Amino acid sequence: MPKSSSSIESSIPPLTPHYAPDTSSAEQPESPSTTSLINSLNLQKHIEGGYFAEIDRNPLIIPNPFLLSSPPNQLWTPTPPDSDDIAPGRTTLVPRSGDDLMRNASTSIFYLLTPRSPLGAFHRNKGRTVHTLIKGRGRYVLIHADEMDVKGEVEGKKRVETFVVGHNVERGERACWVVEGGKYKGTFLMLGEKDGGEGEGLLISETVIPGFEYSDHDFLTLERFRELVTEEQAIELEWMVRKGPPPEESELL
């Protein structure tokens, strides 16, 4: 018999996709309205799922704060400059500039989930990310890998949090939210409250501090995912873990 409540939060139903991702060999086109939005914002496909466009890369250059040690609020193993590994699922070894000693002070992007690409798979950044809602509704799931283990659980299990982003702030939806570095986050598109959400999509902006680099980014692997969450949570959330081989360098736009 299916569970009636989520293993993360008992007051809500189990988390399931509102839209099925397009897994067909022949990619299905987006709706005309979504295509128009993608073209207007010059969005490109994102390796996490959805679409994005970088809209600002702060010209201020600062020393890389992650090079010698992890920030005090992160349980993220630091990487010596000659190491080939940050963490399982690491996306790339070097920043786009080739100089790992420096970072841009911040970067900002547009990010869009659509009915044809409705999932942003679990991943984490070293820097903190400030998110601002522009349109649509979605649900975020955070795995707090940077925190201490959950008391009373098997060793290694971390707190899992979920919330809805949307314009109905009176009902607790968030229009602005911050995800600190070291936490895994996943996102999926939800049906709109008025029109069913078809073709609407979730459009947000994200500002990463210090500036985003794929060398400060990694995907949550299935093995690591199962180490961090309970068995019930793993069954409920496994569909949000990225499957398949690591992204190619040509995909890291």
Side-chain angles (χ1 to χ4, degrees):
M1 183 175 180
K3 285 194 62 178
S4 60
S5 63
S6 171
S7 60
I8 303 168
E9 190 176 312
S10 60
S11 62
I12 61 174
L15 302 187
T16 58
H18 287 218
Y19 297 92
D22 183 9
T23 58
S24 62
S25 56
E27 188 173 303
Q28 299 299 309
E30 299 285 357
S31 69
S33 61
T34 299
T35 299
S36 176
L37 178 61
I38 290 170
N39 292 338
S40 297
L41 297 178
N42 296 313
L43 303 181
Q44 304 177 67
K45 287 188 175 180
H46 201 300
I47 59 170
E48 295 164 2
Y51 300 84
F52 83 106
E54 186 172 280
I55 54 178
D56 179 68
R57 182 164 285 266
N58 193 326
L60 176 63
I61 302 299
I62 62 173
N64 179 0
F66 310 127
L67 190 59
L68 298 178
S69 63
S70 297
N73 67 328
Q74 294 186 25
L75 300 179
W76 193 320
T77 303
T79 304
D82 59 350
S83 173
D84 286 339
D85 186 33
I86 283 182
R90 179 179 182 174
T91 306
T92 190
L93 295 177
V94 295
R96 64 169 66 186
S97 69
D99 184 359
D100 202 37
L101 296 175
M102 301 295 176
R103 290 290 184 269
N104 295 88
S106 65
T107 54
S108 296
I109 65 168
F110 286 129
Y111 183 65
L112 174 70
L113 292 179
T114 72
R116 294 296 185 192
S117 189
L119 173 66
F122 280 124
H123 64 281
R124 67 176 172 175
N125 297 316
K126 285 188 174 183
R128 75 194 312 250
T129 306
V130 181
H131 308 72
T132 303
L133 177 70
I134 299 173
K135 60 176 287 187
R137 291 179 80 229
R139 181 174 285 280
Y140 272 70
V141 180
L142 305 183
I143 301 175
H144 295 271
D146 59 324
E147 296 182 357
M148 303 303 292
D149 294 354
V150 175
K151 189 175 181 180
E153 286 289 353
V154 176
E155 182 179 357
K157 303 305 178 185
K158 303 298 183 179
R159 181 169 69 95
V160 182
E161 176 187 6
T162 184
F163 54 86
V164 173
V165 302
H167 290 290
N168 197 338
V169 294
E170 293 88 352
R171 286 176 51 185
E173 296 181 355
R174 301 188 190 184
C176 187
W177 60 103
V178 177
V179 178
E180 298 292 347
K183 302 178 187 295
Y184 289 105
K185 68 176 179 180
T187 321
F188 62 91
L189 178 63
M190 297 179 68
L191 294 169
E193 290 189 309
K194 294 181 180 179
D195 59 2
E198 192 64 43
E200 181 181 4
L202 172 67
L203 178 64
I204 67 172
S205 69
E206 298 185 13
T207 296
V208 182
I209 307 164
F212 177 83
E213 295 288 352
Y214 279 115
S215 54
D216 299 329
H217 170 284
D218 68 325
F219 282 107
L220 180 58
T221 63
L222 190 57
E223 179 182 12
R224 181 63 174 149
F225 168 71
R226 290 170 176 165
E227 291 174 352
L228 292 174
V229 302
T230 66
E231 185 175 352
E232 283 188 329
Q233 290 169 342
I235 292 171
E236 183 175 350
L237 299 174
E238 186 173 317
W239 62 276
M240 297 184 69
V241 178
R242 186 180 188 273
K243 309 300 192 298
E248 301 287 340
E249 285 290 333
S250 60
E251 298 178 84
L252 307 182
L253 302 173

